[in-house]
Amino acid sequence: MSGDRFGDGAASAVTTAERRLAPETLAARGMPTPDPETGAVVPPIHLASTFARDADYELRQPFSYARDGGPTSRTAEWLIRDLERAERTLLFSSGLSAMAAVLEALPMGARIAIPDRMYHGGRSWARRLEAIGRIRIDVYRSGDAESLDSAVHPGQTSLVWIETPSNPECRITDIRCGAKAAKAADTLLLVDSTAAPPPTTTALDLGANIAFHSGTKYLNGHSDVTAGVLSFRNARGFDDEVAGIRTHQGTVLPGFESWLLLRGLRTLFVRFGKMSASAQAIGEALSDHPRVEVVHYPGLPGHPGHTIAAGQMTGGFGGMLSFQVRGGARMARAVALGCRLFVPATSLGGTESLIEHRKSIEGADSPVPDTLLRLSVGLEDARDLIADIDQALAKAI
Ligand SMILES: *Cc1c(COP(=O)(O)O)cnc(C)c1O
């Protein structure tokens, strides 16, 4: 099944790439524009849960029942597939439901390599599956290529999992090195690229087989949808397994949410560019602040992963950064609550800036330092945002 995005037979991602349409162009249009039936320049929202058969009892399109997805989720899937230069993209009702489907698709007793710094929801689900004997886990040090290598066991490991930049400490893992290790062991590589969306990284081009995004974050970008994205290339049928699980669990992204996601994607590139520029300015300002111990942002030359990040984040270092305050957990929480513009809330990638004390969210067994605050930089004026943190740092005790 392929997308005829421009009404002239531009059927596949490869064809699109050959025509050298920039991903930015694809995102800005967001659909086959205009709609051939109505001339509408934005896509319709299809909410039907079931689809009629014709006189031969055949389906007119490959839709029969909404648990498999419908026309609006397919339009969004095709757009992201083209942005990722993937063979296939599947949308889910949240990032975590997409992660759960990946873990569910693994064979019984499968061995997976995961980083010691990983989105806590995915980590705790993987740990639960390990506890009941469903999978085996090898942990490597996030951002350490040698450690990753030694966690991959040829003939045994089924999946290598990378998250880069890692949330919330912005550790950078070299995707090309991970791909080499995965390939040598004849295993699949998944990259959680939530913090590095297509304007800056296309993990499949760097050798990954599965690019994961929490679409809740940058892709939708307006804090009004939860969505998960899996894009596949050379996945050897793993995509079919995952799609089957999605159908049985009914975790496809519904029509209205798919439409909102398409709407968000139209401005993805401009949002990501501005957020990256503002985060860089905030990171630099915080680096000089006497009440700040360390800033974690891959755009800073002093960041241990800066060189690797520069080689795989070619369109900006993103709007997520974190920093550790001097003075302990109480001080960190006081800074979060002392902000007037930054909202103390979880999540990232929305137009409004957020601040979060991650340790409070992740709990006692989390490896995140308790002096760490994560920022999600939105679209406000960067000077306003810097002044806001300044006043919160000044008054916190
Ligand atoms: C938010 C997030 C997820 C989980 O996605 P949801 O849409 O919240 O279910 C996974 N990985 C990373 C890096 C995230 O930031």
Side-chain angles (χ1 to χ4, degrees):
M1 174 189 357
S2 57
D4 191 357
R5 185 162 298 286
F6 296 95
D8 62 357
S12 70
V14 174
T15 314
T16 305
E18 278 167 7
R19 291 163 49 116
R20 293 188 203 291
L21 280 176
E24 209 159 347
T25 305
L26 300 177
R29 300 172 74 92
M31 64 171 290
T33 8
D35 175 28
E37 251 171 61
T38 61
V41 300
V42 297
I45 311 177
H46 289 283
L47 298 174
S49 62
T50 190
F51 297 83
R53 290 171 181 270
D54 65 14
D56 302 320
Y57 219 73
E58 296 293 333
L59 294 164
R60 275 169 243 178
Q61 293 258 350
F63 305 115
S64 74
Y65 189 56
R67 195 165 4 78
D68 298 323
T72 315
S73 59
R74 188 182 66 172
T75 302
E77 284 175 344
W78 280 354
L79 174 58
I80 298 173
R81 178 200 67 189
D82 289 353
L83 295 179
E84 295 277 31
R85 290 183 285 280
E87 290 162 357
R88 182 181 193 183
T89 291
L90 296 171
L91 278 174
F92 289 76
S93 52
S94 73
L96 206 47
S97 69
M99 284 183 166
V102 166
L103 295 172
E104 173 78 19
L106 294 168
M108 182 68 197
R111 207 162 167 174
I112 67 170
I114 65 171
D116 60 352
R117 297 295 195 278
M118 170 177 167
Y119 178 73
H120 76 119
R123 180 183 62 220
S124 54
W125 193 245
R127 285 291 183 204
R128 185 188 162 274
L129 295 180
E130 182 191 40
I132 60 172
R134 173 70 178 75
I135 60 171
R136 288 172 65 194
I137 292 178
D138 297 293
V139 178
Y140 66 89
R141 275 191 305 282
S142 181
D144 180 337
E146 269 172 42
S147 171
L148 189 156
D149 255 352
S150 60
V152 180
H153 301 281
Q156 293 184 43
T157 304
S158 298
L159 182 72
V160 179
W161 191 298
I162 286 177
E163 179 178 317
T164 185
S166 73
N167 180 351
E169 290 165 284
C170 295
R171 297 203 183 173
I172 300 297
T173 299
D174 190 328
I175 297 173
R176 292 180 182 91
C177 283
K180 216 187 273 174
K183 195 159 188 202
D186 199 24
T187 178
L188 296 175
L189 173 65
L190 177 148
V191 175
D192 181 341
S193 204
T194 297
T200 198
T201 299
T202 43
L204 302 180
D205 285 340
L206 303 176
N209 307 102
I210 308 169
F212 166 88
H213 295 276
S214 165
T216 313
K217 315 293 169 54
Y218 291 110
L219 302 188
N220 181 60
H222 292 75
S223 305
D224 50 15
V225 164
T226 66
V229 185
L230 292 170
S231 297
F232 300 88
R233 198 193 281 180
N234 300 327
R236 296 178 234 157
F238 196 72
D239 52 320
D240 292 327
E241 289 292 316
V242 171
I245 288 162
R246 186 183 71 170
T247 291
H248 284 81
Q249 294 179 333
T251 49
V252 70
L253 191 68
F256 184 58
E257 284 73 10
S258 296
W259 187 88
L260 283 171
L261 177 59
L262 275 167
R263 181 190 170 112
L265 284 164
R266 293 167 84 115
T267 56
L268 171 63
F269 283 72
V270 280
R271 284 187 284 107
F272 191 78
K274 163 132 182 162
M275 288 169 178
S276 296
S278 295
Q280 183 77 34
I282 293 169
E284 284 166 11
L286 286 174
S287 299
D288 294 333
H289 201 288
R291 300 193 104 170
V292 172
E293 196 179 312
V294 57
V295 179
H296 306 288
Y297 186 64
L300 297 173
H303 185 281
H306 176 69
T307 307
I308 292 165
Q312 66 188 24
M313 299 179 80
T314 49
F317 297 101
M320 177 178 84
L321 72 154
S322 57
F323 63 102
Q324 289 174 241
V325 298
R326 294 189 201 281
R330 232 184 51 147
M331 167 81 176
R333 266 204 298 269
V335 173
L337 295 172
C339 286
R340 295 177 186 136
L341 282 175
F342 281 91
V343 181
T346 196
S347 199
L348 61 105
T351 62
E352 66 294 315
S353 293
L354 306 177
I355 186 165
E356 183 173 47
H357 186 244
R358 282 300 295 175
K359 186 78 174 187
S360 298
I361 301 296
E362 297 191 14
D365 66 343
S366 160
V368 174
D370 64 6
T371 56
L372 182 140
L373 291 167
R374 182 183 75 188
L375 300 180
S376 169
V377 177
L379 295 181
E380 304 92 336
D381 184 275
R383 286 160 303 186
D384 285 347
L385 295 174
I386 292 168
D388 189 39
I389 307 177
D390 263 347
Q391 64 81 28
L393 279 166
K395 74 183 180 203
I397 33 162

PDB file of all heavy atoms in Angstrom, residues 69-92:
ATOM      1  N   GLY A  69      -7.235   0.659  12.244  1.00  0.00           N
ATOM      2  CA  GLY A  69      -6.906   1.995  11.736  1.00  0.00           C
ATOM      3  C   GLY A  69      -7.875   2.392  10.654  1.00  0.00           C
ATOM      4  O   GLY A  69      -8.648   1.577  10.163  1.00  0.00           O
ATOM      5  N   GLY A  70      -7.847   3.682  10.302  1.00  0.00           N
ATOM      6  CA  GLY A  70      -8.761   4.199   9.282  1.00  0.00           C
ATOM      7  C   GLY A  70      -8.052   5.187   8.378  1.00  0.00           C
ATOM      8  O   GLY A  70      -6.829   5.351   8.473  1.00  0.00           O
ATOM      9  N   PRO A  71      -8.799   5.859   7.515  1.00  0.00           N
ATOM     10  CA  PRO A  71      -8.184   6.749   6.524  1.00  0.00           C
ATOM     11  C   PRO A  71      -7.353   7.879   7.140  1.00  0.00           C
ATOM     12  O   PRO A  71      -6.308   8.244   6.597  1.00  0.00           O
ATOM     13  CB  PRO A  71      -9.388   7.332   5.765  1.00  0.00           C
ATOM     14  CG  PRO A  71     -10.501   6.357   5.992  1.00  0.00           C
ATOM     15  CD  PRO A  71     -10.268   5.742   7.339  1.00  0.00           C
ATOM     16  N   THR A  72      -7.782   8.437   8.281  1.00  0.00           N
ATOM     17  CA  THR A  72      -7.039   9.584   8.822  1.00  0.00           C
ATOM     18  C   THR A  72      -5.735   9.133   9.466  1.00  0.00           C
ATOM     19  O   THR A  72      -4.691   9.765   9.277  1.00  0.00           O
ATOM     20  CB  THR A  72      -7.907  10.377   9.823  1.00  0.00           C
ATOM     21  OG1 THR A  72      -9.211  10.550   9.272  1.00  0.00           O
ATOM     22  CG2 THR A  72      -7.308  11.736  10.102  1.00  0.00           C
ATOM     23  N   SER A  73      -5.774   7.997  10.186  1.00  0.00           N
ATOM     24  CA  SER A  73      -4.501   7.520  10.752  1.00  0.00           C
ATOM     25  C   SER A  73      -3.566   7.102   9.627  1.00  0.00           C
ATOM     26  O   SER A  73      -2.353   7.297   9.704  1.00  0.00           O
ATOM     27  CB  SER A  73      -4.724   6.380  11.756  1.00  0.00           C
ATOM     28  OG  SER A  73      -5.371   5.285  11.176  1.00  0.00           O
ATOM     29  N   ARG A  74      -4.116   6.570   8.520  1.00  0.00           N
ATOM     30  CA  ARG A  74      -3.245   6.174   7.422  1.00  0.00           C
ATOM     31  C   ARG A  74      -2.570   7.397   6.782  1.00  0.00           C
ATOM     32  O   ARG A  74      -1.394   7.350   6.440  1.00  0.00           O
ATOM     33  CB  ARG A  74      -4.031   5.395   6.361  1.00  0.00           C
ATOM     34  CG  ARG A  74      -3.092   4.810   5.304  1.00  0.00           C
ATOM     35  CD  ARG A  74      -3.828   4.080   4.219  1.00  0.00           C
ATOM     36  NE  ARG A  74      -4.642   4.985   3.422  1.00  0.00           N
ATOM     37  CZ  ARG A  74      -5.277   4.613   2.312  1.00  0.00           C
ATOM     38  NH1 ARG A  74      -5.222   3.368   1.900  1.00  0.00           N
ATOM     39  NH2 ARG A  74      -5.990   5.492   1.631  1.00  0.00           N
ATOM     40  N   THR A  75      -3.301   8.486   6.638  1.00  0.00           N
ATOM     41  CA  THR A  75      -2.691   9.700   6.073  1.00  0.00           C
ATOM     42  C   THR A  75      -1.524  10.151   6.955  1.00  0.00           C
ATOM     43  O   THR A  75      -0.444  10.485   6.458  1.00  0.00           O
ATOM     44  CB  THR A  75      -3.743  10.829   5.962  1.00  0.00           C
ATOM     45  OG1 THR A  75      -4.821  10.363   5.148  1.00  0.00           O
ATOM     46  CG2 THR A  75      -3.157  12.069   5.327  1.00  0.00           C
ATOM     47  N   ALA A  76      -1.741  10.135   8.269  1.00  0.00           N
ATOM     48  CA  ALA A  76      -0.665  10.547   9.185  1.00  0.00           C
ATOM     49  C   ALA A  76       0.500   9.555   9.122  1.00  0.00           C
ATOM     50  O   ALA A  76       1.671   9.954   9.156  1.00  0.00           O
ATOM     51  CB  ALA A  76      -1.214  10.674  10.607  1.00  0.00           C
ATOM     52  N   GLU A  77       0.178   8.275   9.010  1.00  0.00           N
ATOM     53  CA  GLU A  77       1.249   7.262   8.916  1.00  0.00           C
ATOM     54  C   GLU A  77       2.081   7.458   7.651  1.00  0.00           C
ATOM     55  O   GLU A  77       3.306   7.352   7.677  1.00  0.00           O
ATOM     56  CB  GLU A  77       0.643   5.848   8.932  1.00  0.00           C
ATOM     57  CG  GLU A  77       0.205   5.428  10.324  1.00  0.00           C
ATOM     58  CD  GLU A  77      -0.508   4.083  10.352  1.00  0.00           C
ATOM     59  OE1 GLU A  77      -0.945   3.592   9.285  1.00  0.00           O
ATOM     60  OE2 GLU A  77      -0.642   3.521  11.460  1.00  0.00           O
ATOM     61  N   TRP A  78       1.420   7.757   6.553  1.00  0.00           N
ATOM     62  CA  TRP A  78       2.152   7.955   5.297  1.00  0.00           C
ATOM     63  C   TRP A  78       3.069   9.165   5.362  1.00  0.00           C
ATOM     64  O   TRP A  78       4.196   9.139   4.862  1.00  0.00           O
ATOM     65  CB  TRP A  78       1.180   8.100   4.130  1.00  0.00           C
ATOM     66  CG  TRP A  78       0.671   6.781   3.643  1.00  0.00           C
ATOM     67  CD1 TRP A  78       1.071   5.541   4.062  1.00  0.00           C
ATOM     68  CD2 TRP A  78      -0.328   6.568   2.638  1.00  0.00           C
ATOM     69  NE1 TRP A  78       0.379   4.578   3.380  1.00  0.00           N
ATOM     70  CE2 TRP A  78      -0.487   5.167   2.502  1.00  0.00           C
ATOM     71  CE3 TRP A  78      -1.105   7.415   1.856  1.00  0.00           C
ATOM     72  CZ2 TRP A  78      -1.384   4.600   1.597  1.00  0.00           C
ATOM     73  CZ3 TRP A  78      -1.994   6.859   0.949  1.00  0.00           C
ATOM     74  CH2 TRP A  78      -2.135   5.461   0.824  1.00  0.00           C
ATOM     75  N   LEU A  79       2.576  10.232   5.991  1.00  0.00           N
ATOM     76  CA  LEU A  79       3.418  11.425   6.096  1.00  0.00           C
ATOM     77  C   LEU A  79       4.664  11.136   6.938  1.00  0.00           C
ATOM     78  O   LEU A  79       5.788  11.443   6.538  1.00  0.00           O
ATOM     79  CB  LEU A  79       2.624  12.593   6.696  1.00  0.00           C
ATOM     80  CG  LEU A  79       3.449  13.850   6.996  1.00  0.00           C
ATOM     81  CD1 LEU A  79       4.140  14.375   5.735  1.00  0.00           C
ATOM     82  CD2 LEU A  79       2.570  14.942   7.602  1.00  0.00           C
ATOM     83  N   ILE A  80       4.470  10.498   8.097  1.00  0.00           N
ATOM     84  CA  ILE A  80       5.635  10.222   8.955  1.00  0.00           C
ATOM     85  C   ILE A  80       6.566   9.215   8.278  1.00  0.00           C
ATOM     86  O   ILE A  80       7.783   9.350   8.324  1.00  0.00           O
ATOM     87  CB  ILE A  80       5.189   9.740  10.354  1.00  0.00           C
ATOM     88  CG1 ILE A  80       4.384  10.846  11.041  1.00  0.00           C
ATOM     89  CG2 ILE A  80       6.406   9.371  11.208  1.00  0.00           C
ATOM     90  CD1 ILE A  80       3.744  10.431  12.351  1.00  0.00           C
ATOM     91  N   ARG A  81       5.982   8.237   7.604  1.00  0.00           N
ATOM     92  CA  ARG A  81       6.799   7.276   6.849  1.00  0.00           C
ATOM     93  C   ARG A  81       7.719   8.021   5.866  1.00  0.00           C
ATOM     94  O   ARG A  81       8.907   7.720   5.750  1.00  0.00           O
ATOM     95  CB  ARG A  81       5.877   6.323   6.076  1.00  0.00           C
ATOM     96  CG  ARG A  81       6.612   5.313   5.214  1.00  0.00           C
ATOM     97  CD  ARG A  81       5.700   4.749   4.136  1.00  0.00           C
ATOM     98  NE  ARG A  81       5.352   5.800   3.169  1.00  0.00           N
ATOM     99  CZ  ARG A  81       4.447   5.671   2.210  1.00  0.00           C
ATOM    100  NH1 ARG A  81       3.781   4.546   2.081  1.00  0.00           N
ATOM    101  NH2 ARG A  81       4.188   6.660   1.379  1.00  0.00           N
ATOM    102  N   ASP A  82       7.166   9.003   5.165  1.00  0.00           N
ATOM    103  CA  ASP A  82       7.988   9.748   4.197  1.00  0.00           C
ATOM    104  C   ASP A  82       9.028  10.619   4.898  1.00  0.00           C
ATOM    105  O   ASP A  82      10.148  10.766   4.410  1.00  0.00           O
ATOM    106  CB  ASP A  82       7.096  10.598   3.285  1.00  0.00           C
ATOM    107  CG  ASP A  82       6.306   9.730   2.306  1.00  0.00           C
ATOM    108  OD1 ASP A  82       6.555   8.507   2.257  1.00  0.00           O
ATOM    109  OD2 ASP A  82       5.436  10.265   1.589  1.00  0.00           O
ATOM    110  N   LEU A  83       8.673  11.201   6.052  1.00  0.00           N
ATOM    111  CA  LEU A  83       9.646  12.017   6.795  1.00  0.00           C
ATOM    112  C   LEU A  83      10.796  11.155   7.308  1.00  0.00           C
ATOM    113  O   LEU A  83      11.940  11.600   7.376  1.00  0.00           O
ATOM    114  CB  LEU A  83       8.979  12.721   7.984  1.00  0.00           C
ATOM    115  CG  LEU A  83       7.910  13.761   7.670  1.00  0.00           C
ATOM    116  CD1 LEU A  83       7.338  14.340   8.960  1.00  0.00           C
ATOM    117  CD2 LEU A  83       8.453  14.857   6.777  1.00  0.00           C
ATOM    118  N   GLU A  84      10.491   9.913   7.693  1.00  0.00           N
ATOM    119  CA  GLU A  84      11.507   9.006   8.241  1.00  0.00           C
ATOM    120  C   GLU A  84      12.214   8.203   7.152  1.00  0.00           C
ATOM    121  O   GLU A  84      13.132   7.446   7.444  1.00  0.00           O
ATOM    122  CB  GLU A  84      10.850   8.011   9.219  1.00  0.00           C
ATOM    123  CG  GLU A  84      10.264   8.637  10.469  1.00  0.00           C
ATOM    124  CD  GLU A  84      11.307   8.877  11.547  1.00  0.00           C
ATOM    125  OE1 GLU A  84      12.482   9.132  11.225  1.00  0.00           O
ATOM    126  OE2 GLU A  84      10.934   8.802  12.725  1.00  0.00           O
ATOM    127  N   ARG A  85      11.728   8.320   5.902  1.00  0.00           N
ATOM    128  CA  ARG A  85      12.190   7.461   4.802  1.00  0.00           C
ATOM    129  C   ARG A  85      12.107   5.983   5.206  1.00  0.00           C
ATOM    130  O   ARG A  85      13.035   5.205   5.014  1.00  0.00           O
ATOM    131  CB  ARG A  85      13.594   7.866   4.340  1.00  0.00           C
ATOM    132  CG  ARG A  85      13.578   9.208   3.616  1.00  0.00           C
ATOM    133  CD  ARG A  85      14.944   9.601   3.097  1.00  0.00           C
ATOM    134  NE  ARG A  85      15.818  10.059   4.154  1.00  0.00           N
ATOM    135  CZ  ARG A  85      15.781  11.273   4.682  1.00  0.00           C
ATOM    136  NH1 ARG A  85      14.918  12.157   4.230  1.00  0.00           N
ATOM    137  NH2 ARG A  85      16.610  11.619   5.634  1.00  0.00           N
ATOM    138  N   ALA A  86      10.960   5.654   5.784  1.00  0.00           N
ATOM    139  CA  ALA A  86      10.711   4.290   6.265  1.00  0.00           C
ATOM    140  C   ALA A  86       9.975   3.489   5.206  1.00  0.00           C
ATOM    141  O   ALA A  86       9.449   4.046   4.235  1.00  0.00           O
ATOM    142  CB  ALA A  86       9.880   4.346   7.546  1.00  0.00           C
ATOM    143  N   GLU A  87       9.945   2.176   5.399  1.00  0.00           N
ATOM    144  CA  GLU A  87       9.119   1.332   4.535  1.00  0.00           C
ATOM    145  C   GLU A  87       7.676   1.319   5.025  1.00  0.00           C
ATOM    146  O   GLU A  87       6.745   1.143   4.252  1.00  0.00           O
ATOM    147  CB  GLU A  87       9.674  -0.100   4.528  1.00  0.00           C
ATOM    148  CG  GLU A  87      10.998  -0.198   3.794  1.00  0.00           C
ATOM    149  CD  GLU A  87      11.774  -1.460   4.142  1.00  0.00           C
ATOM    150  OE1 GLU A  87      11.312  -2.250   4.997  1.00  0.00           O
ATOM    151  OE2 GLU A  87      12.865  -1.634   3.565  1.00  0.00           O
ATOM    152  N   ARG A  88       7.529   1.482   6.339  1.00  0.00           N
ATOM    153  CA  ARG A  88       6.187   1.390   6.914  1.00  0.00           C
ATOM    154  C   ARG A  88       6.178   2.123   8.249  1.00  0.00           C
ATOM    155  O   ARG A  88       7.151   2.033   8.999  1.00  0.00           O
ATOM    156  CB  ARG A  88       5.867  -0.078   7.142  1.00  0.00           C
ATOM    157  CG  ARG A  88       4.483  -0.331   7.687  1.00  0.00           C
ATOM    158  CD  ARG A  88       4.312  -1.821   7.890  1.00  0.00           C
ATOM    159  NE  ARG A  88       2.921  -2.172   8.120  1.00  0.00           N
ATOM    160  CZ  ARG A  88       2.508  -3.399   8.385  1.00  0.00           C
ATOM    161  NH1 ARG A  88       3.369  -4.400   8.428  1.00  0.00           N
ATOM    162  NH2 ARG A  88       1.232  -3.653   8.599  1.00  0.00           N
ATOM    163  N   THR A  89       5.080   2.804   8.536  1.00  0.00           N
ATOM    164  CA  THR A  89       4.933   3.467   9.834  1.00  0.00           C
ATOM    165  C   THR A  89       3.611   3.051  10.451  1.00  0.00           C
ATOM    166  O   THR A  89       2.596   2.955   9.757  1.00  0.00           O
ATOM    167  CB  THR A  89       4.991   5.001   9.658  1.00  0.00           C
ATOM    168  OG1 THR A  89       6.325   5.370   9.295  1.00  0.00           O
ATOM    169  CG2 THR A  89       4.618   5.735  10.942  1.00  0.00           C
ATOM    170  N   LEU A  90       3.641   2.769  11.756  1.00  0.00           N
ATOM    171  CA  LEU A  90       2.431   2.417  12.498  1.00  0.00           C
ATOM    172  C   LEU A  90       2.220   3.417  13.628  1.00  0.00           C
ATOM    173  O   LEU A  90       3.160   3.727  14.375  1.00  0.00           O
ATOM    174  CB  LEU A  90       2.564   1.015  13.109  1.00  0.00           C
ATOM    175  CG  LEU A  90       2.702  -0.167  12.141  1.00  0.00           C
ATOM    176  CD1 LEU A  90       3.053  -1.441  12.915  1.00  0.00           C
ATOM    177  CD2 LEU A  90       1.427  -0.364  11.336  1.00  0.00           C
ATOM    178  N   LEU A  91       0.988   3.906  13.738  1.00  0.00           N
ATOM    179  CA  LEU A  91       0.658   4.852  14.806  1.00  0.00           C
ATOM    180  C   LEU A  91      -0.088   4.155  15.937  1.00  0.00           C
ATOM    181  O   LEU A  91      -0.939   3.304  15.684  1.00  0.00           O
ATOM    182  CB  LEU A  91      -0.236   5.965  14.262  1.00  0.00           C
ATOM    183  CG  LEU A  91       0.459   7.104  13.533  1.00  0.00           C
ATOM    184  CD1 LEU A  91      -0.579   8.038  12.931  1.00  0.00           C
ATOM    185  CD2 LEU A  91       1.368   7.865  14.496  1.00  0.00           C
ATOM    186  N   PHE A  92       0.207   4.570  17.145  1.00  0.00           N
ATOM    187  CA  PHE A  92      -0.416   4.000  18.341  1.00  0.00           C
ATOM    188  C   PHE A  92      -1.047   5.107  19.180  1.00  0.00           C
ATOM    189  O   PHE A  92      -0.734   6.280  19.022  1.00  0.00           O
ATOM    190  CB  PHE A  92       0.640   3.271  19.191  1.00  0.00           C
ATOM    191  CG  PHE A  92       1.118   1.987  18.574  1.00  0.00           C
ATOM    192  CD1 PHE A  92       2.006   2.003  17.519  1.00  0.00           C
ATOM    193  CD2 PHE A  92       0.663   0.770  19.047  1.00  0.00           C
ATOM    194  CE1 PHE A  92       2.449   0.827  16.939  1.00  0.00           C
ATOM    195  CE2 PHE A  92       1.095  -0.418  18.487  1.00  0.00           C
ATOM    196  CZ  PHE A  92       1.985  -0.388  17.423  1.00  0.00           C
TER     197      PHE A  92
END
